[in-house]
Amino acid sequence: MKGMTNTSAVLAHSAAYAEAVQTATRAAAAYYAQGDSALDDDAYDRLVRLIEAYEQEHPDEVLPDSPTGKVAGGAAVGDVPHTAAMLSLDNVFSAEQFATWTASLERRLGRPVERWSVEPKLDGLAVAARYRQGRLVRLITRGDGTAGEDVSHAVGTIVGLPGELTEPATFEVRGEVLMTTEQFEKANAVRTEHGGEPFANPRNGAAGTLRAKDRPYTVEMTFFAYGALPLPGSGELGEGLGEWTHSDILRRVAALGVHTAADTAVPPRTAATVQEVQARVEEIAALRPELPFGIDGIVVKADSAEDQREAGAGSRAPRWAIAYKLPAVEKVTRLIAVEWNVGRTGIIAPRAVLEPVEIDGSTVTYATLHNPADITRRDLRLGDQVMVYKAGDIIPRIEAPVAHLRTGEEQPIAFPEACPQCGSEIDASEQRWRCVRGRNCRVVASIAYAVGRDQLDIEGLGTTRVVQLVDAGLVTDFADLFTLTREQLLTLDRMGETSADNLLAGIDRARTQPLSRVLAALGVRGTGRSMSRRIARHFATMDHLRAADADAVQRVEGIGVEKAPVIVAELAELGPLIAKLVAAGVNMTEPGATPPAEAEEEAAAGPTGPLGGMTVVVTGAMTGPLEKLSRNQMNEVIERAGGKASSSVSKRTSLVVAGENAGSKRAKAEDLGVRIATPDEFAVMVADALPTS
């Protein structure tokens, strides 16, 4: 629809207005029903502003389906009545609009606002959680503001929303359920393992997951509270909720064990003046690219209960709070071309080439396209205007084509008929296409990956040297590296005696790497460094692993019913390569691990090792005995000592190893009372699990 690209655009006539209402209604219905939408928040907000502007000019033409003045655009439904109306927020989009709103509020009050509360506007789904005597008894979506949908089936999958509080309190806490960047990546991995399409973005992922029932898998989400109100029987707490400031309520809720944004890099803060509010808005906006979760604005509220009561509320939104919206991290740009790249395992992956567009502070030229089926499902065409999503450091993804902007000149995307790398046939039997030659299609890439730092870690064997070895016919896979001789190496250009000896020494050291490193070097589809460590710890030896069927492999944490048979089939396919590695004397055991049968006995006896049962986070620069260890090596040490490595600090964290310049993770650990160890202290704790060289 033309005229929707900026805030100064207008709807030219009643037909354009009717189309805009229909588009907005469909988008809201899709988001609130399935957790999916063809419009991002920014596009939806702009569309609603166009509708509002037209209705102000033509009040006699307002359609009953118009989303203006309605909670959730009038699309959400539910049958559980809310304790009190669960309203949406009105929006402002600039410092000038914010100043106008604050002046209007203070005129309504007849005095300056006593104090402002400023907090991030989290990009998820609003819910109400009811606690009785300290136990979470019901979870309800916002719905239409008067009633919502019961999603209590999701209790137990939401971090920050405990099943039991630290005190037997009775009240209702309201907040946002979302997926962090890490949870979004894990959710998509689990979802695709089970044959589902990946979520387009964390917001849709959280909305869809919260409502989903009877899935054969679960994915984790996170809750952040933004308010609370009393329930019948709340007692002293209920009285306090009616009189405390907003910031005091959040502190009280946090003390009971519920997550608030106080535990993040953008905690709620109070401000005395509009100027201080604006400064805090700018601070939060600057931090946005670094946050582990999505925000689409900042919420500004009158902090005192008295100001809130006197300001009151309209039918859709309170008059004492506003959402200061930030520019979207989803933008529309043109799909110029699709490249087909072949990975080290022979997977043929499509990549979108885009007309450059700035998203979240960086220029995006390429975006992920998952597979040919994904292209077909989204009905993508060359020349399409497409919606591109990016959050933090996540690789940009195409969310959907903007179909109503098509001109008729768009062209179908041509799928390759032969492998783009070597010209061989393509195995299209699965969603992800693969060259029939598999790893042999990209021998150099496969070997270069296998010898990398987090795999076999062979120094002096970069891509250029691997190309030499392959071109000379000395290696056809990385197992051949272990049979190289000094004489063979000396035949290569620019390979002197010292370099040859150093390379052979590095290859010899790689022979003793643990099984987890060998698995990572093999590059089994569906696994990476973390999963390779889990598999190795579970099976202890390559023989045990190769003897396992899909049911046995599925017992490894994080491996589902879809991934297990793929791993079994991959290991069978890699059988000849594994046999060559064994013949060359490469280690096929995991230090400190026990075979499955013995491990079950140990598990029954309880956690073992110096870190048994502990979740450990490493942050900052390591020093002393740990100085030369990469993060992957630190994670190996943690798991070898019986612990579980994690990348984020939470109440479930047992220990944080804080090196130099530890930053926000150390601060969060201190706030949560999590034990903190220096690198030297940790090295003593796990001395037996440290690498010997």
Side-chain angles (χ1 to χ4, degrees):
M1 183 162 49
K2 295 180 180 180
M4 287 174 50
T5 56
N6 58 65
T7 54
S8 62
V10 295
L11 296 172
H13 43 67
S14 59
Y17 164 70
E19 183 184 350
V21 169
Q22 186 178 35
T23 301
T25 303
R26 278 199 304 261
Y31 176 66
Y32 285 100
Q34 291 89 33
D36 198 2
S37 172
L39 294 182
D40 60 74
D41 278 357
D42 188 56
Y44 180 81
D45 287 341
R46 284 186 282 118
L47 184 58
V48 171
R49 293 204 301 278
L50 289 173
I51 293 170
E52 288 174 338
Y54 186 88
E55 290 175 349
Q56 288 174 4
E57 292 291 326
H58 307 86
D60 55 330
E61 294 183 25
V62 175
L63 294 172
D65 291 339
S66 170
T68 60
K70 298 175 183 174
V71 175
V77 295
D79 56 8
V80 181
H82 283 303
T83 310
M86 197 169 180
L87 304 178
S88 297
L89 292 174
D90 286 330
N91 301 320
V92 294
F93 299 88
S94 67
E96 293 76 15
Q97 290 181 1
F98 176 65
T100 300
W101 176 80
T102 56
S104 173
L105 174 59
E106 291 183 337
R107 282 197 302 272
R108 177 180 290 275
L109 293 174
R111 64 174 189 279
V113 167
E114 184 178 328
R115 199 159 190 83
W116 301 99
S117 175
V118 189
E119 60 197 77
K121 185 176 185 298
L122 301 162
D123 197 7
L125 196 73
V127 297
R130 295 177 184 173
Y131 284 92
R132 295 197 180 278
Q133 294 301 307
R135 292 188 177 277
L136 180 55
V137 296
R138 204 161 199 181
L139 188 63
I140 309 156
T141 64
R142 185 204 306 273
D144 64 0
T146 59
E149 181 182 351
D150 191 327
V151 289
S152 302
H153 58 269
V155 171
T157 65
I158 305 172
V159 176
L161 196 61
E164 188 167 355
L165 301 174
T166 57
E167 297 178 21
T170 295
F171 71 109
E172 178 175 299
V173 63
R174 292 181 172 181
E176 205 84 3
V177 171
L178 53 79
M179 281 185 182
T180 64
T181 300
E182 183 179 359
Q183 288 171 337
F184 174 61
E185 291 295 293
K186 289 181 178 177
N188 269 349
V190 171
R191 190 168 167 83
T192 52
E193 280 173 27
H194 288 80
E197 291 295 333
F199 293 119
N201 57 48
R203 181 190 69 244
N204 288 0
T209 298
L210 192 64
R211 294 186 174 87
K213 295 180 180 179
D214 302 321
R215 278 181 179 167
Y217 60 91
T218 59
V219 295
E220 192 177 74
M221 297 171 286
T222 297
F223 176 83
F224 290 99
Y226 58 62
L229 64 157
L231 292 173
S234 291
E236 184 179 343
L237 174 63
E239 295 175 9
L241 290 174
E243 297 300 328
W244 293 336
T245 64
H246 172 70
S247 47
D248 282 340
I249 288 173
L250 291 185
R251 280 191 286 271
R252 176 60 174 152
V253 166
L256 291 170
V258 178
H259 267 196
T260 70
D263 294 331
T264 74
V266 284
R269 290 183 183 167
T270 56
T273 66
V274 172
Q275 291 74 25
E276 288 180 13
V277 172
Q278 186 64 43
R280 181 56 180 160
V281 165
E282 292 168 6
E283 287 176 9
I284 295 176
L287 289 169
R288 186 188 194 188
E290 305 168 19
L291 297 177
F293 46 76
I295 66 171
D296 60 354
I298 293 95
V299 178
V300 183
K301 302 175 180 177
D303 195 46
S304 84
E306 183 180 359
D307 283 349
Q308 292 180 12
R309 277 195 300 269
E310 290 191 25
S315 61
R316 177 185 177 277
R319 299 189 182 96
W320 45 266
I322 200 76
Y324 195 130
K325 300 298 284 285
L326 297 175
V329 292
E330 294 169 308
K331 294 289 181 67
V332 173
T333 188
R334 189 176 300 279
L335 175 61
I336 298 173
V338 172
E339 296 177 349
W340 298 87
N341 301 311
V342 183
R344 56 183 171 76
T345 63
I347 294 293
I348 301 170
R351 182 174 74 161
V353 183
L354 305 171
E355 203 169 82
V357 60
E358 185 173 322
I359 305 178
D360 206 17
S362 63
T363 300
V364 172
T365 310
Y366 300 100
T368 295
L369 294 170
H370 296 279
N371 51 55
D374 182 57
I375 293 173
T376 301
R377 182 180 65 83
R378 295 176 189 272
D379 188 26
L380 290 171
R381 306 173 194 176
L382 298 181
D384 262 339
Q385 294 286 345
V386 293
M387 199 171 296
V388 182
Y389 167 82
K390 180 176 179 287
D393 294 329
I394 295 179
I395 298 170
R397 290 177 170 85
I398 287 182
E399 200 170 320
V402 186
H404 65 265
L405 294 180
R406 282 179 172 158
T407 64
E409 297 180 3
E410 295 77 16
Q411 297 296 317
I413 294 171
F415 293 173
E417 297 180 358
C419 173
Q421 178 69 24
C422 69
S424 299
E425 292 183 9
I426 294 175
D427 177 2
S429 61
E430 298 181 17
Q431 283 198 338
R432 301 186 74 187
W433 291 6
R434 193 182 188 204
C435 174
V436 294
R437 294 183 63 211
R439 289 167 177 79
N440 292 331
C441 177
R442 293 293 305 275
V443 171
V444 170
S446 179
I447 296 174
Y449 172 81
V451 302
R453 185 181 182 191
D454 289 332
Q455 289 72 248
L456 295 178
D457 193 17
I458 302 178
E459 291 185 20
L461 199 51
T463 301
T464 302
R465 190 65 78 187
V466 172
V467 169
Q468 276 188 300
L469 292 168
V470 172
D471 288 348
L474 297 179
V475 298
T476 58
D477 54 45
F478 75 87
D480 288 336
L481 296 171
F482 296 98
T483 61
L484 288 172
T485 66
R486 192 171 190 264
E487 290 71 25
Q488 287 174 320
L489 291 178
L490 291 174
T491 64
L492 301 176
D493 289 341
R494 298 181 300 281
M495 176 67 81
E497 293 184 357
T498 301
S499 295
D501 291 340
N502 288 340
L503 180 53
L504 288 171
I507 292 171
D508 205 43
R509 284 193 297 273
R511 221 183 292 269
T512 63
Q513 289 282 17
L515 174 61
S516 55
R517 293 294 192 102
V518 177
L519 286 174
L522 287 169
V524 177
R525 280 187 293 164
T527 70
R529 292 171 299 184
S530 298
M531 184 58 72
S532 294
R533 288 197 302 271
R534 278 186 235 160
I535 293 171
R537 295 290 302 171
H538 184 88
F539 288 102
T541 71
M542 181 63 83
D543 286 343
H544 281 106
L545 172 57
R546 294 190 67 198
D549 59 14
D551 288 340
V553 172
Q554 196 179 326
R555 295 192 185 102
V556 178
E557 180 189 355
I559 296 180
V561 293
E562 299 293 330
K563 183 182 284 187
V566 172
I567 292 173
V568 171
E570 278 277 286
L571 289 168
E573 181 182 318
L574 290 164
L577 177 57
I578 294 170
K580 286 177 68 174
L581 292 168
V582 172
V586 175
N587 172 60
M588 292 289 166
T589 63
E590 184 71 8
T594 53
E598 297 175 31
E600 288 180 11
E601 294 178 8
E602 289 185 3
T608 59
L611 302 180
M614 297 175 68
T615 298
V616 183
V617 174
V618 178
T619 183
M622 295 296 102
T623 53
L626 310 179
E627 184 174 6
K628 295 183 179 180
L629 299 187
S630 66
R631 278 292 184 267
N632 186 54
Q633 289 172 312
M634 286 293 294
N635 291 341
E636 288 176 338
V637 168
I638 291 166
E639 292 173 12
R640 203 175 294 141
K644 179 180 178 182
S646 177
S647 60
S648 58
V649 178
S650 70
K651 292 178 182 178
R652 293 178 293 179
T653 304
S654 311
L655 176 70
V656 170
V657 184
E660 295 177 355
N661 303 315
S664 61
K665 290 184 181 179
R666 178 181 184 126
K668 185 171 181 180
E670 290 172 346
D671 291 343
L672 294 175
V674 174
R675 179 185 173 189
I676 298 173
T678 66
D680 287 343
E681 291 169 340
F682 185 70
V684 172
M685 292 173 63
V686 296
D688 292 340
L690 292 175
T692 55
S693 60

